[in-house]
Every structure is written in structure tokens, then in C-alpha cells.
Amino acid sequence: MAWSNEELGQIGGSDDLHISPFREDGSTYGTPTWIWSVVVDGELYVRGYNGRASRWYQAAVAQKAGRVSVAGMTRDVEFATAEGPINDPIDDAYRFKYAKSRYLNPMISARARAATIKITPLHS
């Protein structure tokens, strides 16, 4: 599945994404964690502020699925690591969306880039 253009527009303009990867049992959602999100080339991306040490990131990589709540919608999703050249436009999207935040530089650092996740809906 893919996000609709309408959903991506709502998500891109929102700053309220909460991510809940599954716990180790693979069926219980973890505690929702508020994180920054950006839309690049029709895809949704998030990063771990604390890099790969972020607990939600570790759960997302291990379980590969969970749930997100954003822009008034809740979706079951899958998670995939995002590496390589895609990180440059993701950095640009963070710079644009969060330009005034004092947390911007850590979110475009090598540590956060190493913890970039693509989020894809499982169904609409």
C-alpha cells in the first residue's frame, strides 16, 4: 500500500506524529512516542533523535511493524530502514519543516541519519 496524496499532504503539514512499534510479542503496540516526520518523494520518513539508541527505533527495526497516529488518523504500518542518497532530500525536508527549531541540527546529524525509517501503511 501507499499513502494517498491527501494523506501525505495532511501528514506533511502536521507536527503530531506518534509512533508505536510492536512490542516483542509482535501484537501489542508500544507506548506512543512523539517524533518529527517529513514527506519526501511521496514517502513518509522519521528519524531517531538519539540515533540507533532510540528505543522506538530499535523496536521498529526488530518488529518491522506497528502503528502511527498523525493528522487525526491512525494507521497500521510497516517500517523499513532508509539508507544512502535518500537521506540528503530527507535532510532538506527537515530543514524546511523545522527551520526554526533548536533541535534541527541534531535531527540532520550523522547519528540521526543512521536511524532513518520509512513508514508505509499496511492498508488504507
Side-chain angles (χ1 to χ4, degrees):
M1 292 293 312
W3 299 101
S4 72
N5 289 335
E6 181 180 339
E7 289 171 326
L8 288 173
Q10 292 172 338
I11 294 168
S14 176
D15 192 27
D16 68 346
L17 190 138
H18 286 80
I19 191 167
S20 303
F22 283 125
R23 296 190 185 276
E24 289 180 6
D25 66 9
S27 62
T28 305
Y29 296 106
T31 302
T33 302
W34 176 77
I35 57 175
W36 286 3
S37 64
V38 294
V39 174
V40 174
D41 295 334
E43 303 288 353
L44 175 61
Y45 295 94
V46 296
R47 286 184 171 160
Y49 180 85
N50 291 314
R52 292 181 177 163
S54 299
R55 294 176 85 184
W56 72 260
Y57 172 83
Q58 292 174 3
V61 169
Q63 299 302 319
K64 298 183 180 14
R67 177 177 281 171
V68 295
S69 297
V70 58
M73 63 185 109
T74 299
R75 296 286 186 275
D76 291 330
V77 296
E78 61 184 4
F79 305 116
T81 57
E83 300 172 349
I86 189 63
N87 274 292
D88 293 333
I90 292 171
D91 284 351
D92 291 342
Y94 273 101
R95 285 184 187 102
F96 180 79
K97 186 172 180 179
Y98 299 103
K100 296 180 182 179
S101 174
R102 64 185 174 124
Y103 300 106
L104 174 61
N105 286 335
M107 290 303 291
I108 58 174
S109 70
R111 178 180 72 176
R113 282 175 63 118
T116 303
I117 295 285
K118 181 170 103 171
I119 301 176
T120 306
L122 290 174
H123 48 79
S124 47

